[in-house]
PDB file of all heavy atoms in Angstrom:
ATOM      1  N   GLN O 310     -14.980  32.718 -54.578  1.00 87.00           N
ATOM      2  CA  GLN O 310     -14.530  31.384 -54.170  1.00 87.00           C
ATOM      3  C   GLN O 310     -13.709  31.447 -52.872  1.00 87.00           C
ATOM      4  O   GLN O 310     -13.862  30.597 -51.993  1.00 87.00           O
ATOM      5  CB  GLN O 310     -13.704  30.736 -55.287  1.00 87.00           C
ATOM      6  CG  GLN O 310     -14.587  30.166 -56.375  1.00 87.00           C
ATOM      7  CD  GLN O 310     -13.765  29.540 -57.474  1.00 87.00           C
ATOM      8  OE1 GLN O 310     -12.866  30.174 -58.023  1.00 87.00           O
ATOM      9  NE2 GLN O 310     -14.063  28.295 -57.794  1.00 87.00           N
ATOM     10  N   ILE O 311     -12.860  32.500 -52.787  1.00 87.00           N
ATOM     11  CA  ILE O 311     -12.052  32.627 -51.564  1.00 87.00           C
ATOM     12  C   ILE O 311     -12.941  32.846 -50.351  1.00 87.00           C
ATOM     13  O   ILE O 311     -12.767  32.229 -49.296  1.00 87.00           O
ATOM     14  CB  ILE O 311     -11.011  33.767 -51.711  1.00 87.00           C
ATOM     15  CG1 ILE O 311      -9.946  33.362 -52.741  1.00 87.00           C
ATOM     16  CG2 ILE O 311     -10.343  34.061 -50.366  1.00 87.00           C
ATOM     17  CD1 ILE O 311      -9.020  34.491 -53.165  1.00 87.00           C
ATOM     18  N   SER O 312     -13.942  33.695 -50.484  1.00 87.00           N
ATOM     19  CA  SER O 312     -14.783  33.995 -49.323  1.00 87.00           C
ATOM     20  C   SER O 312     -15.634  32.793 -48.934  1.00 87.00           C
ATOM     21  O   SER O 312     -15.982  32.628 -47.760  1.00 87.00           O
ATOM     22  CB  SER O 312     -15.649  35.227 -49.575  1.00 87.00           C
ATOM     23  OG  SER O 312     -16.773  34.874 -50.350  1.00 87.00           O
ATOM     24  N   GLU O 313     -15.938  31.910 -49.882  1.00 88.00           N
ATOM     25  CA  GLU O 313     -16.764  30.744 -49.556  1.00 88.00           C
ATOM     26  C   GLU O 313     -15.921  29.551 -49.098  1.00 88.00           C
ATOM     27  O   GLU O 313     -16.467  28.560 -48.617  1.00 88.00           O
ATOM     28  CB  GLU O 313     -17.595  30.317 -50.773  1.00 88.00           C
ATOM     29  CG  GLU O 313     -18.789  31.239 -51.027  1.00 88.00           C
ATOM     30  CD  GLU O 313     -19.463  30.953 -52.374  1.00 88.00           C
ATOM     31  OE1 GLU O 313     -19.003  30.011 -53.070  1.00 88.00           O
ATOM     32  OE2 GLU O 313     -20.412  31.675 -52.700  1.00 88.00           O
ATOM     33  N   CYS O 314     -14.617  29.653 -49.283  1.00 85.00           N
ATOM     34  CA  CYS O 314     -13.743  28.521 -48.962  1.00 85.00           C
ATOM     35  C   CYS O 314     -13.775  28.217 -47.458  1.00 85.00           C
ATOM     36  O   CYS O 314     -13.778  29.114 -46.624  1.00 85.00           O
ATOM     37  CB  CYS O 314     -12.317  28.850 -49.385  1.00 85.00           C
ATOM     38  SG  CYS O 314     -11.171  27.546 -48.950  1.00 85.00           S
ATOM     39  N   SER O 315     -13.811  26.896 -47.098  1.00 86.00           N
ATOM     40  CA  SER O 315     -13.951  26.559 -45.670  1.00 86.00           C
ATOM     41  C   SER O 315     -12.812  25.682 -45.142  1.00 86.00           C
ATOM     42  O   SER O 315     -12.770  25.394 -43.951  1.00 86.00           O
ATOM     43  CB  SER O 315     -15.291  25.850 -45.441  1.00 86.00           C
ATOM     44  OG  SER O 315     -15.318  24.659 -46.209  1.00 86.00           O
ATOM     45  N   THR O 316     -11.911  25.240 -46.014  1.00 86.00           N
ATOM     46  CA  THR O 316     -10.788  24.446 -45.477  1.00 86.00           C
ATOM     47  C   THR O 316      -9.460  24.984 -46.006  1.00 86.00           C
ATOM     48  O   THR O 316      -9.397  25.613 -47.066  1.00 86.00           O
ATOM     49  CB  THR O 316     -10.877  22.960 -45.886  1.00 86.00           C
ATOM     50  OG1 THR O 316     -10.650  22.851 -47.284  1.00 86.00           O
ATOM     51  CG2 THR O 316     -12.228  22.351 -45.553  1.00 86.00           C
ATOM     52  N   LEU O 317      -8.410  24.725 -45.264  1.00 86.00           N
ATOM     53  CA  LEU O 317      -7.071  25.184 -45.652  1.00 86.00           C
ATOM     54  C   LEU O 317      -6.612  24.496 -46.939  1.00 86.00           C
ATOM     55  O   LEU O 317      -5.921  25.096 -47.759  1.00 86.00           O
ATOM     56  CB  LEU O 317      -6.087  24.901 -44.517  1.00 86.00           C
ATOM     57  CG  LEU O 317      -6.222  25.819 -43.294  1.00 86.00           C
ATOM     58  CD1 LEU O 317      -5.474  25.240 -42.089  1.00 86.00           C
ATOM     59  CD2 LEU O 317      -5.696  27.220 -43.592  1.00 86.00           C
ATOM     60  N   GLU O 318      -6.984  23.232 -47.102  1.00 88.00           N
ATOM     61  CA  GLU O 318      -6.590  22.490 -48.312  1.00 88.00           C
ATOM     62  C   GLU O 318      -7.199  23.137 -49.555  1.00 88.00           C
ATOM     63  O   GLU O 318      -6.539  23.364 -50.562  1.00 88.00           O
ATOM     64  CB  GLU O 318      -7.039  21.016 -48.233  1.00 88.00           C
ATOM     65  CG  GLU O 318      -6.325  20.184 -47.193  1.00 88.00           C
ATOM     66  CD  GLU O 318      -6.864  20.430 -45.784  1.00 88.00           C
ATOM     67  OE1 GLU O 318      -7.986  20.963 -45.668  1.00 88.00           O
ATOM     68  OE2 GLU O 318      -6.149  20.122 -44.809  1.00 88.00           O
ATOM     69  N   LYS O 319      -8.504  23.453 -49.438  1.00 90.00           N
ATOM     70  CA  LYS O 319      -9.210  24.063 -50.588  1.00 90.00           C
ATOM     71  C   LYS O 319      -8.615  25.446 -50.892  1.00 90.00           C
ATOM     72  O   LYS O 319      -8.473  25.837 -52.055  1.00 90.00           O
ATOM     73  CB  LYS O 319     -10.710  24.185 -50.232  1.00 90.00           C
ATOM     74  CG  LYS O 319     -11.590  24.605 -51.362  1.00 90.00           C
ATOM     75  CD  LYS O 319     -12.123  23.379 -52.102  1.00 90.00           C
ATOM     76  CE  LYS O 319     -12.998  23.761 -53.256  1.00 90.00           C
ATOM     77  NZ  LYS O 319     -12.610  24.172 -54.465  1.00 90.00           N
ATOM     78  N   LEU O 320      -8.259  26.151 -49.853  1.00 87.00           N
ATOM     79  CA  LEU O 320      -7.695  27.498 -50.040  1.00 87.00           C
ATOM     80  C   LEU O 320      -6.371  27.442 -50.814  1.00 87.00           C
ATOM     81  O   LEU O 320      -6.101  28.273 -51.685  1.00 87.00           O
ATOM     82  CB  LEU O 320      -7.471  28.144 -48.670  1.00 87.00           C
ATOM     83  CG  LEU O 320      -7.197  29.651 -48.656  1.00 87.00           C
ATOM     84  CD1 LEU O 320      -8.449  30.422 -49.086  1.00 87.00           C
ATOM     85  CD2 LEU O 320      -6.733  30.113 -47.284  1.00 87.00           C
ATOM     86  N   GLU O 321      -5.551  26.422 -50.486  1.00 88.00           N
ATOM     87  CA  GLU O 321      -4.283  26.254 -51.194  1.00 88.00           C
ATOM     88  C   GLU O 321      -4.533  25.967 -52.674  1.00 88.00           C
ATOM     89  O   GLU O 321      -3.832  26.497 -53.560  1.00 88.00           O
ATOM     90  CB  GLU O 321      -3.480  25.117 -50.532  1.00 88.00           C
ATOM     91  CG  GLU O 321      -2.134  24.809 -51.163  1.00 88.00           C
ATOM     92  CD  GLU O 321      -1.169  25.980 -51.144  1.00 88.00           C
ATOM     93  OE1 GLU O 321      -1.384  26.940 -50.396  1.00 88.00           O
ATOM     94  OE2 GLU O 321      -0.178  25.934 -51.923  1.00 88.00           O
ATOM     95  N   GLU O 322      -5.576  25.151 -52.932  1.00 90.00           N
ATOM     96  CA  GLU O 322      -5.943  24.862 -54.337  1.00 90.00           C
ATOM     97  C   GLU O 322      -6.297  26.147 -55.069  1.00 90.00           C
ATOM     98  O   GLU O 322      -5.912  26.364 -56.222  1.00 90.00           O
ATOM     99  CB  GLU O 322      -7.133  23.884 -54.390  1.00 90.00           C
ATOM    100  CG  GLU O 322      -6.746  22.436 -54.119  1.00 90.00           C
ATOM    101  CD  GLU O 322      -7.978  21.530 -53.989  1.00 90.00           C
ATOM    102  OE1 GLU O 322      -9.047  21.866 -54.569  1.00 90.00           O
ATOM    103  OE2 GLU O 322      -7.872  20.494 -53.307  1.00 90.00           O
ATOM    104  N   LEU O 323      -7.037  27.031 -54.406  1.00 88.00           N
ATOM    105  CA  LEU O 323      -7.439  28.302 -55.038  1.00 88.00           C
ATOM    106  C   LEU O 323      -6.220  29.168 -55.323  1.00 88.00           C
ATOM    107  O   LEU O 323      -6.121  29.827 -56.369  1.00 88.00           O
ATOM    108  CB  LEU O 323      -8.415  29.070 -54.133  1.00 88.00           C
ATOM    109  CG  LEU O 323      -9.810  28.426 -53.994  1.00 88.00           C
ATOM    110  CD1 LEU O 323     -10.676  29.206 -52.992  1.00 88.00           C
ATOM    111  CD2 LEU O 323     -10.521  28.385 -55.360  1.00 88.00           C
ATOM    112  N   ARG O 324      -5.263  29.192 -54.375  1.00 89.00           N
ATOM    113  CA  ARG O 324      -4.062  29.996 -54.579  1.00 89.00           C
ATOM    114  C   ARG O 324      -3.327  29.538 -55.851  1.00 89.00           C
ATOM    115  O   ARG O 324      -2.922  30.353 -56.693  1.00 89.00           O
ATOM    116  CB  ARG O 324      -3.127  29.888 -53.370  1.00 89.00           C
ATOM    117  CG  ARG O 324      -2.096  30.984 -53.242  1.00 89.00           C
ATOM    118  CD  ARG O 324      -1.094  30.706 -52.120  1.00 89.00           C
ATOM    119  NE  ARG O 324      -0.331  29.477 -52.363  1.00 89.00           N
ATOM    120  CZ  ARG O 324       0.661  29.394 -53.257  1.00 89.00           C
ATOM    121  NH1 ARG O 324       1.040  30.440 -53.965  1.00 89.00           N
ATOM    122  NH2 ARG O 324       1.280  28.236 -53.446  1.00 89.00           N
ATOM    123  N   VAL O 325      -3.208  28.203 -55.983  1.00 90.00           N
ATOM    124  CA  VAL O 325      -2.546  27.665 -57.168  1.00 90.00           C
ATOM    125  C   VAL O 325      -3.341  28.015 -58.429  1.00 90.00           C
ATOM    126  O   VAL O 325      -2.790  28.429 -59.453  1.00 90.00           O
ATOM    127  CB  VAL O 325      -2.366  26.134 -57.041  1.00 90.00           C
ATOM    128  CG1 VAL O 325      -1.820  25.534 -58.340  1.00 90.00           C
ATOM    129  CG2 VAL O 325      -1.440  25.815 -55.870  1.00 90.00           C
ATOM    130  N   LEU O 326      -4.666  27.894 -58.316  1.00 89.00           N
ATOM    131  CA  LEU O 326      -5.539  28.138 -59.468  1.00 89.00           C
ATOM    132  C   LEU O 326      -5.382  29.566 -60.024  1.00 89.00           C
ATOM    133  O   LEU O 326      -5.361  29.793 -61.236  1.00 89.00           O
ATOM    134  CB  LEU O 326      -7.000  27.888 -59.067  1.00 89.00           C
ATOM    135  CG  LEU O 326      -8.076  28.135 -60.142  1.00 89.00           C
ATOM    136  CD1 LEU O 326      -7.915  27.141 -61.305  1.00 89.00           C
ATOM    137  CD2 LEU O 326      -9.489  28.029 -59.554  1.00 89.00           C
ATOM    138  N   TYR O 327      -5.225  30.541 -59.102  1.00 88.00           N
ATOM    139  CA  TYR O 327      -5.163  31.933 -59.570  1.00 88.00           C
ATOM    140  C   TYR O 327      -3.738  32.489 -59.608  1.00 88.00           C
ATOM    141  O   TYR O 327      -3.339  33.156 -60.558  1.00 88.00           O
ATOM    142  CB  TYR O 327      -6.038  32.839 -58.691  1.00 88.00           C
ATOM    143  CG  TYR O 327      -7.499  32.519 -58.887  1.00 88.00           C
ATOM    144  CD1 TYR O 327      -8.214  31.840 -57.925  1.00 88.00           C
ATOM    145  CD2 TYR O 327      -8.155  32.885 -60.084  1.00 88.00           C
ATOM    146  CE1 TYR O 327      -9.546  31.520 -58.118  1.00 88.00           C
ATOM    147  CE2 TYR O 327      -9.484  32.548 -60.290  1.00 88.00           C
ATOM    148  CZ  TYR O 327     -10.180  31.882 -59.318  1.00 88.00           C
ATOM    149  OH  TYR O 327     -11.478  31.552 -59.529  1.00 88.00           O
ATOM    150  N   LEU O 328      -2.926  32.215 -58.574  1.00 87.00           N
ATOM    151  CA  LEU O 328      -1.627  32.889 -58.486  1.00 87.00           C
ATOM    152  C   LEU O 328      -0.448  31.962 -58.747  1.00 87.00           C
ATOM    153  O   LEU O 328       0.702  32.383 -58.710  1.00 87.00           O
ATOM    154  CB  LEU O 328      -1.464  33.533 -57.089  1.00 87.00           C
ATOM    155  CG  LEU O 328      -2.557  34.535 -56.678  1.00 87.00           C
ATOM    156  CD1 LEU O 328      -2.255  35.114 -55.300  1.00 87.00           C
ATOM    157  CD2 LEU O 328      -2.685  35.662 -57.692  1.00 87.00           C
ATOM    158  N   GLY O 329      -0.750  30.662 -58.979  1.00 87.00           N
ATOM    159  CA  GLY O 329       0.332  29.704 -59.227  1.00 87.00           C
ATOM    160  C   GLY O 329       1.074  30.028 -60.521  1.00 87.00           C
ATOM    161  O   GLY O 329       0.706  30.969 -61.239  1.00 87.00           O
ATOM    162  N   ARG O 330       2.124  29.222 -60.779  1.00 87.00           N
ATOM    163  CA  ARG O 330       2.945  29.493 -61.968  1.00 87.00           C
ATOM    164  C   ARG O 330       2.124  29.485 -63.258  1.00 87.00           C
ATOM    165  O   ARG O 330       2.391  30.262 -64.178  1.00 87.00           O
ATOM    166  CB  ARG O 330       4.066  28.446 -62.049  1.00 87.00           C
ATOM    167  CG  ARG O 330       5.385  29.020 -62.476  1.00 87.00           C
ATOM    168  CD  ARG O 330       6.580  28.303 -61.845  1.00 87.00           C
ATOM    169  NE  ARG O 330       6.398  26.895 -61.565  1.00 87.00           N
ATOM    170  CZ  ARG O 330       6.621  25.920 -62.469  1.00 87.00           C
ATOM    171  NH1 ARG O 330       7.023  26.197 -63.674  1.00 87.00           N
ATOM    172  NH2 ARG O 330       6.444  24.640 -62.113  1.00 87.00           N
ATOM    173  N   LYS O 331       1.087  28.577 -63.270  1.00 87.00           N
ATOM    174  CA  LYS O 331       0.216  28.572 -64.451  1.00 87.00           C
ATOM    175  C   LYS O 331      -1.182  29.060 -64.091  1.00 87.00           C
ATOM    176  O   LYS O 331      -2.172  28.719 -64.749  1.00 87.00           O
ATOM    177  CB  LYS O 331       0.146  27.158 -65.025  1.00 87.00           C
ATOM    178  CG  LYS O 331       1.458  26.746 -65.667  1.00 87.00           C
ATOM    179  CD  LYS O 331       1.376  25.372 -66.282  1.00 87.00           C
ATOM    180  CE  LYS O 331       2.694  25.038 -66.953  1.00 87.00           C
ATOM    181  NZ  LYS O 331       2.801  23.612 -67.292  1.00 87.00           N
ATOM    182  N   GLY O 332      -1.269  29.857 -63.008  1.00 86.00           N
ATOM    183  CA  GLY O 332      -2.556  30.340 -62.543  1.00 86.00           C
ATOM    184  C   GLY O 332      -3.164  31.374 -63.500  1.00 86.00           C
ATOM    185  O   GLY O 332      -2.471  31.942 -64.349  1.00 86.00           O
TER     186      GLY O 332
END
Side-chain angles (χ1 to χ4, degrees):
Q310 281 180 307
I311 291 169
S312 80
E313 284 170 2
C314 177
S315 61
T316 69
L317 287 165
E318 292 79 18
K319 188 91 181 79
L320 194 68
E321 179 61 16
E322 283 172 26
L323 291 176
R324 199 187 62 75
V325 174
L326 178 65
Y327 292 106
L328 303 181
R330 220 147 31 86
K331 290 182 178 166

